[in-house]
Amino acid sequence: AGTGGVFETTNAGDSWHQVFNSPTSALIFDPQKKEVSYIASGNKILRTTDTGQNWQAVYLDPTAEVTITTLALNPRNNQALYAGTNKGGLLKSEDGGTSWQQVYFFKQAVSLIAINATDPKIIYIPQAAGSLWRSTDAGKTWSDITINLREQLKVTIQGYRALALVATQADGLLYATQYGLFRSLNGGTNWEIVKLLTAPGSTTITTLILDPTKEKNIYYTTYSTFYKTDDNGKSWETLPLPSKRKPSTMTINPKDNKLFYLGFSR
């Protein structure tokens, strides 16, 4: 919860208790060991092996100005973790967070690390200005795949807003920028515009998710509205949001695609 720390619920959100009381910028879970998770707090990465009862620092950046901004875990290898920093650093651990090394350096902050579930060597990192970087060798080398987007569609991206990987495609993704929403089903080689109800560049997408079982089901929010489609954007339905605050994160229950959770910023 940002400056509020980390909270846990064991009854689907009916009640909560705090398990970490310092500012937290990222949280990931080990899919193979439910008692293990990792958080980023300031310039530190911490790990728990007992479901949040105790936390151990496994990384401390030597530079005080550095903040760990995001974390990611290889879905097929729970020993391989990645971390991004506000200074553009990409860190990797191959031993469950015990040791870390910087594997790449970007010119802008790393706010998201998205790993392909089918082939974890494929990783995406978006940048605030709008470029989307792709690696096919687990983070050693990178290429900006929005070069193809600009050349093919003749559009101005205008800044990154959200990214969602298509679970039912080998290397599919949806990429939201200030211009609008784009789709590629082959890792950024070819792109198409997903038609929205709003004119290009006229609205800001704040969250974006896909149904993990039905790729045609797309959901996103703006500052005031929830949008959904079940036909890849040919038609859209809208709902007003339940809060006046900015929607900042959204997820869907993988076992019940009618159950959503939506988080808001102050």
Side-chain angles (χ1 to χ4, degrees):
T3 57
V6 178
F7 294 80
E8 179 190 42
T9 177
T10 57
N11 53 17
D14 289 337
S15 62
W16 295 83
H17 69 277
Q18 190 177 52
V19 296
F20 189 75
N21 62 1
S22 293
T24 307
S25 54
L27 164 67
I28 57 171
F29 299 93
D30 187 325
Q32 299 174 29
K33 296 181 178 181
K34 65 178 182 179
E35 68 275 11
V36 177
S37 58
Y38 303 83
I39 60 173
S41 180
N43 62 345
K44 295 183 293 185
I45 300 172
L46 300 99
R47 175 180 61 200
T48 179
T49 57
D50 54 13
T51 320
Q53 295 182 50
N54 298 282
W55 296 90
Q56 174 192 10
V58 294
Y59 177 79
L60 174 64
D61 198 280
T63 306
E65 293 78 17
V66 167
T67 299
I68 309 298
T69 50
T70 186
L71 298 170
L73 190 149
N74 184 322
R76 296 194 173 188
N77 177 8
N78 67 345
Q79 296 298 295
L81 296 94
Y82 295 86
T85 77
N86 63 328
K87 299 297 184 180
L90 177 65
L91 309 173
K92 184 179 181 180
S93 172
E94 296 182 343
D95 54 12
T98 300
S99 62
W100 295 82
Q101 61 177 335
Q102 183 166 291
V103 293
Y104 202 81
F105 184 78
F106 294 89
K107 293 181 179 180
Q108 297 180 11
V110 177
S111 60
L112 176 69
I113 302 169
I115 302 176
N116 186 304
T118 303
D119 182 358
K121 289 184 179 180
I122 300 175
I123 306 173
Y124 294 92
I125 290 181
Q127 301 274 264
S131 58
L132 177 60
W133 294 82
R134 178 176 182 261
S135 173
T136 59
D137 54 12
K140 296 177 183 178
T141 60
W142 295 83
S143 58
D144 182 1
I145 60 174
T146 54
I147 294 175
N148 294 339
L149 191 159
R150 293 183 178 97
E151 291 178 349
Q152 292 171 17
L153 303 180
K154 309 300 180 185
V155 297
T156 302
I157 294 177
Q158 298 176 317
Y160 159 72
R161 293 294 175 264
L163 171 68
L165 303 188
V166 183
T168 54
Q169 294 285 337
D171 198 11
L173 62 133
L174 286 178
Y175 189 53
T177 75
Q178 188 57 42
Y179 177 91
L181 187 58
F182 305 97
R183 179 191 292 112
S184 174
L185 298 181
N186 54 12
T189 301
N190 302 102
W191 292 90
E192 62 179 345
I193 296 176
V194 179
K195 190 173 182 180
L196 306 180
L197 295 178
T198 51
S202 64
T203 190
T204 298
I205 293 175
T206 60
T207 70
L208 171 69
I209 60 170
L210 300 173
D211 188 319
T213 61
K214 297 180 179 179
E215 65 180 69
K216 294 183 178 180
N217 292 8
I218 305 170
Y219 310 93
Y220 74 90
T221 61
T222 63
Y223 281 88
S224 62
T225 307
F226 173 82
Y227 293 81
K228 63 176 181 176
T229 177
D230 59 7
D231 55 14
N232 261 335
K234 295 179 181 178
S235 60
W236 292 91
E237 296 180 51
T238 63
L239 290 170
L241 293 177
S243 172
K244 297 298 183 182
R245 295 179 175 181
K246 174 188 174 182
S248 56
T249 185
M250 179 166 56
T251 190
I252 184 172
N253 188 319
K255 296 182 179 181
D256 180 1
N257 66 359
K258 293 184 179 180
L259 180 58
F260 289 75
Y261 293 92
L262 183 60
F264 294 83
S265 300
R266 291 186 180 274

